[in-house]
Amino acid sequence: MEKSKSIGQIQAPTYGNLITILSIDGGGIKGIIPATILAFLESELQKLDGEDARLADYFDAMAGTSTGGLVTAMLTAPNMQNRPLYAAKDIKEFYLNHSPKIFPQSSWPFNTAAKVLRAIIGPRYDGKYLHELIRRNLGETRLHQTLTNVVIPTFDIKRLQPTIFSSYKVKNNPLLDARLSDICIGTSAAPTYLPAYDFQTEDSQGNTREFNLIDGGLAANNPALVAMGEITKEIFEENPDFFPIKPMDYHRFLVISLGTGSSKEERYSANHAKRWGVLGWLLSNGSTPLVDAFMQASADMVDIHISEAFQALHSGKNYLRIEDDALSGILASVDTSTKENLENLVKVGEMLLKKPVSRVNLETGHVEPVSEGEGTNEEALIRLAKLLSDERRLREMRSPHSKSSRTGK
């Protein structure tokens, strides 16, 4: 098959058969797990369409929370050639190179006690290196400039409500057109780990809006459903990009949702928790039970909802959730940035590709292989890469705006 020498932005879904969504959970340094999986997916797309192919060329929307929001921004922000700033294979190296400076590890012999003490008196990390790094990489790029639509949840602690930075919202609300760097710093401001973040935007009429943000994981650690909601709203409002798709026509959606790994170890029990006060809920066994519960529940409930909806509409194979719930010890940590742990997290991502396609079981709370026999995650991604490539080609053929349709290729 002749491979394309150049590739551009994806045409609107109205010219194709599917609406394509990529979603990446929050999880600190564990973002290196989905980064490893994304590198595999992009390499499969490059086998089909040439080495210039990038993930942003295939998805109508890319969603990310916290560390997933940063990955989303890096994959969709334009460089000087108006191509994605980062290839997927570069994200893993980004984590390996910078995580030790974002989350510096103490050499003090009582490291755990030091973390607890820091968490009591303030955030464990000052965030200065992370903020500088994000600003340097993303510069002045704003939300409306991304190469495909992005959806990044945050939580505004002053308003006590989620704030969703969405390419779809910017059209009607220019005050949401913030710098990607500000959005990423805000969505990654995990309570007890990194400081809350505030900034202001201004529109062309001089109107301003203030944002006081913390980790988007408190609103949607798994942002897949938020992205689907943003698109559903566009369909309801008769956005011509989605004509003639029906709002609940889930068989027209293709969703890839990547988790950052979790632990189902029995670290807590009601017998212990019934004696906890504020400090106990915030600090126990070197962790933060309240935050853990919020984020795990959020991610699992989204997975369950989407999975059941797709299966009810006989479209189960159009939804792929890749998650490992068997992390243990420091592998489950969001901030243990030692070289050994980072390399082990890469191995987790590589092994996850070899595991069977799985879904969360609401009764047991564990991720279990699907009964339909969909093969491994690797095999599923190869199948979906072919679907994504075919969908892109179909849109280019049908769209009057694409180069191929104008030249008759």
Side-chain angles (χ1 to χ4, degrees):
M1 180 176 61
E2 183 181 352
K3 296 180 180 179
S4 170
K5 293 182 179 179
S6 63
I7 195 165
Q9 290 177 251
I10 189 169
Q11 298 296 316
T14 191
Y15 303 114
N17 292 331
L18 299 168
I19 299 172
T20 56
I21 298 172
L22 174 64
S23 175
I24 310 164
D25 287 14
I29 61 164
K30 294 186 298 175
I32 202 169
I33 296 174
T36 303
I37 295 166
L38 291 172
F40 175 81
L41 175 59
E42 191 169 88
S43 70
E44 289 301 312
L45 291 167
Q46 289 170 344
K47 290 177 184 178
L48 296 167
D49 296 326
E51 63 181 15
D52 290 337
R54 296 291 183 268
L55 292 172
D57 303 323
Y58 296 87
F59 290 97
D60 296 306
M62 293 175 62
T65 296
S66 193
T67 195
L70 177 57
V71 173
T72 295
M74 293 165 69
L75 293 173
T76 59
N79 61 16
M80 296 295 290
Q81 290 74 44
N82 206 39
R83 295 294 294 144
L85 189 62
Y86 280 79
K89 64 181 176 61
D90 299 325
I91 304 295
K92 181 178 71 174
E93 293 303 316
F94 178 90
Y95 277 94
L96 291 172
N97 293 335
H98 296 292
S99 293
K101 297 176 183 177
I102 296 170
F103 301 114
Q105 303 298 290
S106 172
S107 57
W108 194 42
F110 304 104
N111 190 31
T112 301
K115 283 185 176 182
V116 171
L117 180 60
R118 285 197 300 270
I120 291 173
I121 63 176
R124 295 182 184 181
Y125 310 97
D126 60 23
K128 291 180 180 179
Y129 182 85
L130 175 64
H131 297 181
E132 181 184 341
L133 178 66
I134 291 174
R135 292 189 183 110
R136 186 170 67 245
N137 277 271
L138 298 177
E140 294 297 312
T141 303
R142 291 189 176 268
L143 182 58
H144 79 276
Q145 295 174 292
T146 55
L147 296 174
T148 191
N149 297 295
V150 302
V151 178
I152 300 178
T154 65
F155 190 86
D156 194 309
I157 196 170
K158 189 171 184 178
R159 297 184 177 209
L160 282 181
Q161 67 178 40
T163 296
I164 310 300
F165 289 94
S166 163
S167 301
Y168 301 107
K169 292 182 183 293
V170 167
K171 294 174 293 185
N172 299 318
N173 189 352
L175 288 174
L176 286 174
D177 193 23
R179 286 187 293 260
L180 283 179
S181 59
D182 287 329
I183 297 170
C184 288
I185 293 170
T187 193
S188 61
T192 76
Y193 290 94
L194 291 162
Y197 184 68
D198 65 284
F199 63 93
Q200 195 174 74
T201 57
E202 183 176 352
D203 65 16
S204 57
Q205 280 74 48
N207 301 308
T208 61
R209 176 170 172 178
E210 178 187 37
F211 297 91
N212 295 267
L213 304 182
I214 58 174
D215 195 340
L218 294 178
N221 202 48
N222 175 348
L225 195 57
V226 177
M228 293 180 69
E230 287 294 294
I231 288 174
T232 300
K233 190 184 303 180
E234 293 297 306
I235 296 171
F236 270 123
E237 294 175 357
E238 299 184 346
N239 181 333
D241 283 351
F242 297 97
F243 179 83
I245 299 165
K246 297 177 181 178
M248 295 303 291
D249 208 356
Y250 275 21
H251 81 277
R252 299 287 295 274
F253 283 78
L254 189 159
V255 180
I256 299 175
S257 175
L258 305 181
T260 54
S262 63
S263 172
K264 298 289 179 155
E265 289 181 313
E266 296 179 357
R267 289 179 290 169
Y268 318 118
S269 71
N271 188 48
H272 290 99
K274 66 186 179 184
R275 296 191 292 268
W276 288 347
V278 173
L279 187 59
W281 279 103
L282 292 177
L283 290 168
S284 181
N285 292 341
S287 188
T288 50
L290 193 61
V291 175
D292 288 348
F294 270 121
M295 293 189 174
Q296 191 60 51
S298 167
D300 283 353
M301 289 304 294
V302 168
D303 181 23
I304 292 164
H305 175 88
I306 298 178
S307 178
E308 291 185 348
F310 272 79
Q311 290 179 71
L313 295 168
H314 308 290
S315 306
K317 289 189 176 181
N318 279 23
Y319 171 63
L320 177 65
R321 170 71 171 172
I322 302 181
E323 171 73 315
D324 190 334
D325 69 344
L327 301 185
S328 60
I330 62 171
L331 277 176
S333 164
V334 300
D335 66 332
T336 303
S337 58
T338 62
K339 181 181 179 181
E340 180 184 11
N341 190 48
L342 291 169
E343 290 175 349
N344 285 336
L345 287 169
V346 172
K347 293 176 183 176
V348 169
E350 293 170 346
M351 290 188 293
L352 196 50
L353 287 168
K354 306 297 182 183
K355 291 184 177 181
V357 172
S358 303
R359 296 192 180 97
V360 66
N361 182 321
L362 185 57
E363 296 297 323
T364 65
H366 290 286
V367 173
E368 300 175 354
V370 299
S371 57
E372 292 89 346
E374 294 181 22
T376 64
N377 290 316
E378 188 174 72
E379 291 168 337
L381 286 171
I382 292 171
R383 176 179 63 83
L384 292 178
K386 182 65 166 61
L387 275 178
L388 290 166
S389 177
D390 289 346
E391 174 69 13
R392 179 183 170 81
R393 289 172 184 268
L394 177 64
R395 294 186 193 184
E396 288 179 341
M397 181 180 68
R398 291 177 174 174
S399 171
H401 308 295
S402 71
K403 181 180 178 181
S404 59
S405 65
R406 292 196 301 271
T407 59
K409 292 182 180 179

CSV table of all heavy atoms in Angstrom, one decimal, residues 250-290:
chain,number,residue,atom,x,y,z
A,250,TYR,N,-24.4,5.5,20.0
A,250,TYR,CA,-23.0,5.1,20.5
A,250,TYR,C,-22.3,4.2,19.5
A,250,TYR,O,-21.1,4.1,19.6
A,250,TYR,CB,-23.2,4.4,21.8
A,250,TYR,CG,-23.2,5.4,23.0
A,250,TYR,CD1,-23.6,6.7,22.8
A,250,TYR,CD2,-22.9,4.9,24.3
A,250,TYR,CE1,-23.6,7.6,23.9
A,250,TYR,CE2,-22.9,5.8,25.4
A,250,TYR,CZ,-23.3,7.1,25.2
A,250,TYR,OH,-23.3,8.0,26.2
A,251,HIS,N,-23.0,3.5,18.6
A,251,HIS,CA,-22.2,2.7,17.7
A,251,HIS,C,-21.4,3.5,16.7
A,251,HIS,O,-20.6,3.0,16.0
A,251,HIS,CB,-23.2,1.7,16.9
A,251,HIS,CG,-23.9,2.3,15.8
A,251,HIS,ND1,-25.1,3.1,15.9
A,251,HIS,CD2,-23.6,2.4,14.4
A,251,HIS,CE1,-25.5,3.5,14.7
A,251,HIS,NE2,-24.6,3.1,13.8
A,252,ARG,N,-21.7,4.9,16.7
A,252,ARG,CA,-20.9,5.8,15.9
A,252,ARG,C,-19.7,6.3,16.6
A,252,ARG,O,-18.9,7.1,16.0
A,252,ARG,CB,-21.8,6.9,15.4
A,252,ARG,CG,-23.0,6.5,14.6
A,252,ARG,CD,-22.6,6.1,13.2
A,252,ARG,NE,-22.0,7.2,12.4
A,252,ARG,CZ,-22.7,8.0,11.6
A,252,ARG,NH1,-24.0,8.0,11.6
A,252,ARG,NH2,-22.1,9.0,10.9
A,253,PHE,N,-19.5,6.0,17.9
A,253,PHE,CA,-18.4,6.4,18.7
A,253,PHE,C,-17.3,5.3,18.7
A,253,PHE,O,-17.6,4.2,18.8
A,253,PHE,CB,-18.8,6.7,20.1
A,253,PHE,CG,-19.5,8.0,20.3
A,253,PHE,CD1,-20.8,8.2,20.0
A,253,PHE,CD2,-18.8,9.1,20.9
A,253,PHE,CE1,-21.5,9.4,20.2
A,253,PHE,CE2,-19.5,10.3,21.1
A,253,PHE,CZ,-20.8,10.5,20.7
A,254,LEU,N,-16.1,5.8,18.6
A,254,LEU,CA,-14.9,4.9,18.9
A,254,LEU,C,-14.1,5.6,20.0
A,254,LEU,O,-13.6,6.7,19.8
A,254,LEU,CB,-14.1,4.7,17.6
A,254,LEU,CG,-13.0,3.7,17.6
A,254,LEU,CD1,-12.6,3.3,16.2
A,254,LEU,CD2,-11.7,4.1,18.4
A,255,VAL,N,-14.0,4.9,21.1
A,255,VAL,CA,-13.4,5.5,22.3
A,255,VAL,C,-12.3,4.6,22.8
A,255,VAL,O,-12.5,3.4,23.1
A,255,VAL,CB,-14.4,5.7,23.5
A,255,VAL,CG1,-13.7,6.3,24.7
A,255,VAL,CG2,-15.6,6.6,23.0
A,256,ILE,N,-11.1,5.2,22.9
A,256,ILE,CA,-9.9,4.5,23.6
A,256,ILE,C,-9.6,5.3,24.9
A,256,ILE,O,-9.4,6.5,24.8
A,256,ILE,CB,-8.7,4.5,22.7
A,256,ILE,CG1,-9.0,3.7,21.4
A,256,ILE,CG2,-7.5,3.9,23.4
A,256,ILE,CD1,-7.9,3.8,20.3
A,257,SER,N,-9.7,4.6,26.0
A,257,SER,CA,-9.6,5.2,27.3
A,257,SER,C,-8.4,4.5,28.0
A,257,SER,O,-8.4,3.3,28.2
A,257,SER,CB,-10.8,5.0,28.1
A,257,SER,OG,-10.7,5.5,29.4
A,258,LEU,N,-7.4,5.3,28.4
A,258,LEU,CA,-6.2,4.7,29.0
A,258,LEU,C,-6.1,5.2,30.5
A,258,LEU,O,-6.1,6.3,30.8
A,258,LEU,CB,-5.0,5.2,28.3
A,258,LEU,CG,-4.9,4.9,26.7
A,258,LEU,CD1,-3.6,5.4,26.1
A,258,LEU,CD2,-5.1,3.4,26.5
A,259,GLY,N,-6.0,4.2,31.4
A,259,GLY,CA,-5.8,4.4,32.8
A,259,GLY,C,-4.3,4.5,33.1
A,259,GLY,O,-3.4,4.2,32.3
A,260,THR,N,-4.0,4.9,34.3
A,260,THR,CA,-2.6,5.1,34.7
A,260,THR,C,-2.2,4.0,35.8
A,260,THR,O,-1.2,4.1,36.4
A,260,THR,CB,-2.3,6.5,35.3
A,260,THR,OG1,-3.2,6.7,36.3
A,260,THR,CG2,-2.4,7.5,34.2
A,261,GLY,N,-3.1,3.0,35.9
A,261,GLY,CA,-2.8,2.0,36.9
A,261,GLY,C,-3.3,2.3,38.3
A,261,GLY,O,-3.3,3.5,38.7
A,262,SER,N,-3.8,1.3,39.0
A,262,SER,CA,-4.3,1.5,40.4
A,262,SER,C,-3.9,0.3,41.2
A,262,SER,O,-3.5,-0.7,40.7
A,262,SER,CB,-5.8,1.7,40.3
A,262,SER,OG,-6.5,0.6,39.8
A,263,SER,N,-4.2,0.4,42.5
A,263,SER,CA,-4.0,-0.7,43.4
A,263,SER,C,-5.2,-1.0,44.1
A,263,SER,O,-5.9,-0.2,44.6
A,263,SER,CB,-2.9,-0.3,44.4
A,263,SER,OG,-2.8,-1.3,45.4
A,264,LYS,N,-5.6,-2.3,44.1
A,264,LYS,CA,-6.7,-2.8,44.9
A,264,LYS,C,-6.3,-3.5,46.1
A,264,LYS,O,-7.0,-4.3,46.7
A,264,LYS,CB,-7.6,-3.7,44.0
A,264,LYS,CG,-8.1,-3.1,42.8
A,264,LYS,CD,-9.2,-2.1,43.1
A,264,LYS,CE,-9.8,-1.4,41.8
A,264,LYS,NZ,-11.1,-0.9,41.9
A,265,GLU,N,-5.1,-3.2,46.5
A,265,GLU,CA,-4.6,-3.8,47.8
A,265,GLU,C,-5.5,-3.3,49.0
A,265,GLU,O,-6.0,-2.1,48.9
A,265,GLU,CB,-3.1,-3.3,48.1
A,265,GLU,CG,-2.1,-3.9,47.2
A,265,GLU,CD,-0.7,-3.4,47.6
A,265,GLU,OE1,-0.5,-2.2,47.8
A,265,GLU,OE2,0.2,-4.3,47.7
A,266,GLU,N,-5.7,-4.1,49.9
A,266,GLU,CA,-6.5,-3.8,51.0
A,266,GLU,C,-5.8,-3.0,52.1
A,266,GLU,O,-5.4,-3.5,53.1
A,266,GLU,CB,-7.1,-5.0,51.7
A,266,GLU,CG,-8.1,-5.8,50.7
A,266,GLU,CD,-8.6,-7.0,51.3
A,266,GLU,OE1,-8.3,-7.4,52.4
A,266,GLU,OE2,-9.4,-7.7,50.6
A,267,ARG,N,-5.5,-1.7,51.7
A,267,ARG,CA,-4.8,-0.8,52.6
A,267,ARG,C,-5.6,-0.2,53.7
A,267,ARG,O,-5.1,0.2,54.8
A,267,ARG,CB,-4.1,0.3,51.8
A,267,ARG,CG,-3.0,-0.2,50.9
A,267,ARG,CD,-2.4,1.0,50.1
A,267,ARG,NE,-3.4,1.5,49.1
A,267,ARG,CZ,-3.3,2.6,48.5
A,267,ARG,NH1,-2.2,3.4,48.7
A,267,ARG,NH2,-4.1,3.0,47.6
A,268,TYR,N,-6.9,-0.1,53.5
A,268,TYR,CA,-7.8,0.5,54.5
A,268,TYR,C,-8.9,-0.5,54.8
A,268,TYR,O,-9.2,-1.5,54.1
A,268,TYR,CB,-8.4,1.8,53.9
A,268,TYR,CG,-7.5,2.6,53.1
A,268,TYR,CD1,-7.7,2.9,51.8
A,268,TYR,CD2,-6.4,3.2,53.7
A,268,TYR,CE1,-6.8,3.7,51.1
A,268,TYR,CE2,-5.5,4.0,53.1
A,268,TYR,CZ,-5.7,4.3,51.7
A,268,TYR,OH,-4.9,5.1,51.0
A,269,SER,N,-9.6,-0.3,55.9
A,269,SER,CA,-10.8,-1.0,56.3
A,269,SER,C,-11.7,-0.2,57.1
A,269,SER,O,-11.3,0.8,57.7
A,269,SER,CB,-10.4,-2.3,57.1
A,269,SER,OG,-9.9,-1.9,58.4
A,270,ALA,N,-13.0,-0.5,57.2
A,270,ALA,CA,-13.9,0.2,57.9
A,270,ALA,C,-13.6,0.2,59.4
A,270,ALA,O,-13.8,1.2,60.1
A,270,ALA,CB,-15.4,-0.3,57.7
A,271,ASN,N,-13.0,-0.9,59.9
A,271,ASN,CA,-12.6,-1.0,61.3
A,271,ASN,C,-11.5,0.1,61.6
A,271,ASN,O,-11.6,0.7,62.7
A,271,ASN,CB,-12.0,-2.4,61.5
A,271,ASN,CG,-11.7,-2.6,63.0
A,271,ASN,OD1,-12.6,-2.3,63.8
A,271,ASN,ND2,-10.5,-3.1,63.3
A,272,HIS,N,-10.6,0.4,60.7
A,272,HIS,CA,-9.7,1.5,60.9
A,272,HIS,C,-10.3,2.9,60.6
A,272,HIS,O,-10.2,3.8,61.4
A,272,HIS,CB,-8.5,1.3,60.0
A,272,HIS,CG,-7.6,0.2,60.4
A,272,HIS,ND1,-7.7,-1.1,59.8
A,272,HIS,CD2,-6.7,0.0,61.4
A,272,HIS,CE1,-6.8,-1.9,60.3
A,272,HIS,NE2,-6.2,-1.3,61.3
A,273,ALA,N,-11.1,2.9,59.5
A,273,ALA,CA,-11.6,4.2,59.1
A,273,ALA,C,-12.6,4.8,60.1
A,273,ALA,O,-12.8,6.0,60.1
A,273,ALA,CB,-12.2,4.1,57.7
A,274,LYS,N,-13.3,4.0,60.8
A,274,LYS,CA,-14.3,4.5,61.7
A,274,LYS,C,-13.8,5.3,62.8
A,274,LYS,O,-14.5,6.1,63.5
A,274,LYS,CB,-15.2,3.3,62.3
A,274,LYS,CG,-14.5,2.4,63.2
A,274,LYS,CD,-15.4,1.2,63.6
A,274,LYS,CE,-14.7,0.2,64.4
A,274,LYS,NZ,-15.6,-1.0,64.7
A,275,ARG,N,-12.4,5.2,63.0
A,275,ARG,CA,-11.8,6.0,64.1
A,275,ARG,C,-11.1,7.2,63.5
A,275,ARG,O,-10.5,8.0,64.2
A,275,ARG,CB,-10.8,5.1,64.8
A,275,ARG,CG,-11.4,4.0,65.6
A,275,ARG,CD,-10.4,3.3,66.5
A,275,ARG,NE,-9.3,2.6,65.7
A,275,ARG,CZ,-9.4,1.3,65.4
A,275,ARG,NH1,-10.5,0.6,65.7
A,275,ARG,NH2,-8.4,0.7,64.7
A,276,TRP,N,-11.1,7.4,62.2
A,276,TRP,CA,-10.4,8.5,61.6
A,276,TRP,C,-11.2,9.8,61.8
A,276,TRP,O,-12.4,9.9,61.7
A,276,TRP,CB,-10.3,8.3,60.1
A,276,TRP,CG,-9.3,7.2,59.7
A,276,TRP,CD1,-8.3,6.6,60.5
A,276,TRP,CD2,-9.1,6.6,58.4
A,276,TRP,NE1,-7.6,5.7,59.8
A,276,TRP,CE2,-8.1,5.7,58.5
A,276,TRP,CE3,-9.8,6.8,57.2
A,276,TRP,CZ2,-7.7,4.9,57.4
A,276,TRP,CZ3,-9.3,6.0,56.1
A,276,TRP,CH2,-8.3,5.1,56.2
A,277,GLY,N,-10.4,10.9,62.0
A,277,GLY,CA,-10.9,12.2,61.9
A,277,GLY,C,-10.4,12.8,60.6
A,277,GLY,O,-10.0,12.1,59.7
A,278,VAL,N,-10.3,14.2,60.6
A,278,VAL,CA,-9.8,14.8,59.4
A,278,VAL,C,-8.4,14.4,59.0
A,278,VAL,O,-8.2,14.0,57.8
A,278,VAL,CB,-9.8,16.4,59.6
A,278,VAL,CG1,-9.2,17.1,58.4
A,278,VAL,CG2,-11.3,16.9,59.8
A,279,LEU,N,-7.5,14.3,59.9
A,279,LEU,CA,-6.1,13.9,59.6
A,279,LEU,C,-6.1,12.5,59.1
A,279,LEU,O,-5.3,12.2,58.2
A,279,LEU,CB,-5.3,14.1,60.8
A,279,LEU,CG,-3.8,13.9,60.6
A,279,LEU,CD1,-3.2,14.9,59.6
A,279,LEU,CD2,-3.0,14.1,61.9
A,280,GLY,N,-6.8,11.6,59.7
A,280,GLY,CA,-6.8,10.2,59.3
A,280,GLY,C,-7.3,10.0,57.8
A,280,GLY,O,-6.7,9.3,57.1
A,281,TRP,N,-8.3,10.8,57.4
A,281,TRP,CA,-8.8,10.7,56.1
A,281,TRP,C,-7.9,11.3,55.1
A,281,TRP,O,-7.8,10.9,53.9
A,281,TRP,CB,-10.2,11.4,55.9
A,281,TRP,CG,-11.3,10.5,56.4
A,281,TRP,CD1,-12.0,10.6,57.6
A,281,TRP,CD2,-11.9,9.4,55.7
A,281,TRP,NE1,-12.9,9.6,57.7
A,281,TRP,CE2,-12.9,8.8,56.5
A,281,TRP,CE3,-11.6,8.8,54.5
A,281,TRP,CZ2,-13.6,7.7,56.2
A,281,TRP,CZ3,-12.4,7.7,54.1
A,281,TRP,CH2,-13.4,7.2,54.9
A,282,LEU,N,-7.0,12.2,55.5
A,282,LEU,CA,-6.1,12.8,54.6
A,282,LEU,C,-4.7,12.1,54.6
A,282,LEU,O,-4.0,12.2,53.6
A,282,LEU,CB,-5.9,14.3,55.0
A,282,LEU,CG,-7.1,15.2,54.8
A,282,LEU,CD1,-6.8,16.6,55.3
A,282,LEU,CD2,-7.5,15.2,53.3
A,283,LEU,N,-4.4,11.5,55.7
A,283,LEU,CA,-3.1,10.8,55.8
A,283,LEU,C,-3.2,9.5,56.6
A,283,LEU,O,-3.6,9.4,57.7
A,283,LEU,CB,-2.1,11.7,56.5
A,283,LEU,CG,-1.6,12.9,55.8
A,283,LEU,CD1,-0.8,13.8,56.7
A,283,LEU,CD2,-0.7,12.5,54.6
A,284,SER,N,-3.0,8.4,55.8
A,284,SER,CA,-3.0,7.1,56.5
A,284,SER,C,-2.2,6.1,55.6
A,284,SER,O,-2.3,6.1,54.4
A,284,SER,CB,-4.4,6.5,56.6
A,284,SER,OG,-4.5,5.3,57.2
A,285,ASN,N,-1.3,5.4,56.3
A,285,ASN,CA,-0.4,4.4,55.6
A,285,ASN,C,0.4,5.2,54.5
A,285,ASN,O,0.7,4.6,53.4
A,285,ASN,CB,-1.2,3.3,54.9
A,285,ASN,CG,-1.8,2.4,55.9
A,285,ASN,OD1,-1.4,2.3,57.1
A,285,ASN,ND2,-2.8,1.6,55.5
A,286,GLY,N,0.8,6.4,54.8
A,286,GLY,CA,1.6,7.2,53.9
A,286,GLY,C,0.9,7.6,52.6
A,286,GLY,O,1.5,8.1,51.7
A,287,SER,N,-0.5,7.5,52.6
A,287,SER,CA,-1.3,7.9,51.5
A,287,SER,C,-2.4,8.9,51.9
A,287,SER,O,-2.5,9.2,53.1
A,287,SER,CB,-1.9,6.7,50.8
A,287,SER,OG,-2.5,7.0,49.6
A,288,THR,N,-3.3,9.2,51.0
A,288,THR,CA,-4.4,10.1,51.3
A,288,THR,C,-5.7,9.3,50.9
A,288,THR,O,-6.1,9.4,49.8
A,288,THR,CB,-4.3,11.4,50.4
A,288,THR,OG1,-4.1,11.0,49.1
A,288,THR,CG2,-3.2,12.3,50.9
A,289,PRO,N,-6.3,8.6,51.9
A,289,PRO,CA,-7.5,7.8,51.6
A,289,PRO,C,-8.6,8.5,50.9
A,289,PRO,O,-9.3,8.0,50.0
A,289,PRO,CB,-7.9,7.3,53.0
A,289,PRO,CG,-6.7,7.4,53.8
A,289,PRO,CD,-5.9,8.6,53.3
A,290,LEU,N,-8.9,9.8,51.3
A,290,LEU,CA,-10.0,10.5,50.8
A,290,LEU,C,-9.8,10.8,49.3
A,290,LEU,O,-10.7,10.6,48.4
A,290,LEU,CB,-10.2,11.8,51.5
A,290,LEU,CG,-11.5,12.5,51.3
A,290,LEU,CD1,-12.7,11.7,51.6
A,290,LEU,CD2,-11.6,13.8,52.0
